[in-house]
Amino acid sequence: MNGSSGGCSGPTGNAQTAFDHGLVGRFNAWFFTFFAGYINHAAHAHKTEAFGGIGTGTIVEIGAGTGANLSYLEPGTHLYAVEPNRRMHPRLKRRCRQAGIGLTILPTGAEHIDLPDGSVDVVMCSLVLCTVGMPSQVVAEARRILRAGGTFRFVEHIAAPDGSVRGRAQRMIRRPWGFVFEGCDPHRDTIATVNGAGFAAVQAHRQRFHHSVFWPVNTAAWGIAVR
Ligand SMILES: C[S@@+](CC[C@H](N)C(=O)[O-])C[C@H]1O[C@@H](n2cnc3c(N)ncnc32)[C@H](O)[C@@H]1O
């Protein structure tokens, strides 16, 4: 495993896939810390269903960012955070320390996760499958590292129906939105991606975020897939 572990220590680095977008990365680290409470409020119903009762065990979060989902983990848990964006790491480490959660950062893209087959109880993510370069490959990796019966839990904004005003807007803003939010595509069919990954069972629910001001990405889904 090529990460860093123990308490909330930092990454040893995998220069090939870790990235640092400078100012834009700093903005995103600030944004997802500053708005974490607001986003968690808007996504409260989704996260409660998807992340509630995770319990203990070996837990991996893909694109953990600055730790928006730590409140869904029990103190004393050890989290493997697959997070290639170096700008997220300092805040993630600080918030893990404050929450009493042990942390190993795997500073690579989740297209290749440096953990053995069938070694993990839970893989979770929020607002990540919109951003990763190869969502099908990332979900396949999540499935690969899960033990039989382990769960992949996700909360994601997804494509609005084609032909709807929001769907058209999502397509129109793709480029500037992707630039500001480091590759985020507001118009992805993430449920189809999870359904196509070969899990034994998938429970997925489309549900808008509650009163969110981020109108273009209000169409959302949560789900639990079982390996
Ligand atoms: C929109 S942010 C969401 C952060 C956090 N999950 C949250 O809900 O606040 C997307 C996150 O995915 C990470 N990310 C981008 N590409 C990735 C990849 N290939 N594999 C894993 N994470 C990635 C980004 O660095 C960022 O932390």
Side-chain angles (χ1 to χ4, degrees):
M1 188 187 303
N2 181 18
S4 60
S5 64
C8 293
S9 52
T12 55
N14 177 340
Q16 288 181 319
T17 50
F19 62 79
D20 182 341
H21 293 151
L23 260 185
V24 177
R26 260 167 70 181
F27 166 75
N28 275 266
W30 169 83
F31 182 95
F32 286 102
T33 304
F34 187 80
F35 284 105
Y38 181 78
I39 294 171
N40 277 351
H41 172 70
H44 177 72
H46 307 64
K47 291 195 176 185
T48 302
E49 295 290 348
F51 302 153
I54 281 179
T56 52
T58 305
I59 296 167
V60 171
E61 181 165 1
I62 295 174
T66 60
N69 298 319
L70 296 179
S71 61
Y72 292 93
L73 303 180
E74 293 179 17
T77 299
H78 191 94
L79 177 68
Y80 291 86
V82 184
E83 179 48 76
N85 188 342
R86 294 189 185 284
R87 296 283 173 170
M88 302 288 181
H89 295 175
R91 285 184 166 93
L92 177 60
K93 286 187 260 182
R94 193 161 60 241
R95 289 169 93 184
C96 278
R97 211 162 32 236
Q98 287 163 355
I101 289 170
L103 176 68
T104 299
I105 296 178
L106 302 176
T108 66
E111 286 81 0
H112 300 284
I113 301 176
D114 194 11
L115 290 171
D117 294 2
S119 60
V120 163
D121 298 293
V122 173
V123 179
M124 61 193 289
C125 65
S126 70
L127 312 182
V128 170
L129 296 177
C130 50
T131 298
V132 299
M134 291 184 282
S136 301
Q137 174 65 25
V138 167
V139 179
E141 273 296 271
R143 183 178 173 278
R144 179 188 68 74
I145 64 173
L146 281 168
R147 63 167 171 78
T151 50
F152 173 58
R153 298 158 180 258
F154 63 92
V155 174
E156 294 288 334
H157 64 78
I158 59 170
D162 279 329
S164 67
V165 174
R166 200 190 318 256
R168 283 200 297 273
Q170 287 174 344
R171 284 174 179 275
M172 277 173 58
I173 64 170
R174 259 180 171 151
R175 282 182 72 119
W177 189 271
F179 176 76
V180 173
F181 293 109
E182 299 190 291
C184 174
D185 179 351
H187 196 71
R188 278 195 182 164
D189 190 353
T190 295
I191 292 181
T193 302
V194 178
N195 278 333
F199 285 99
V202 178
Q203 205 196 341
H205 304 266
R206 290 167 199 272
Q207 186 179 350
R208 281 208 190 138
F209 287 138
H210 180 67
H211 292 155
S212 164
V213 296
F214 303 113
W215 180 84
V217 289
N218 244 344
T219 40
W222 66 268
I224 300 178
V226 182
R227 168 81 158 93

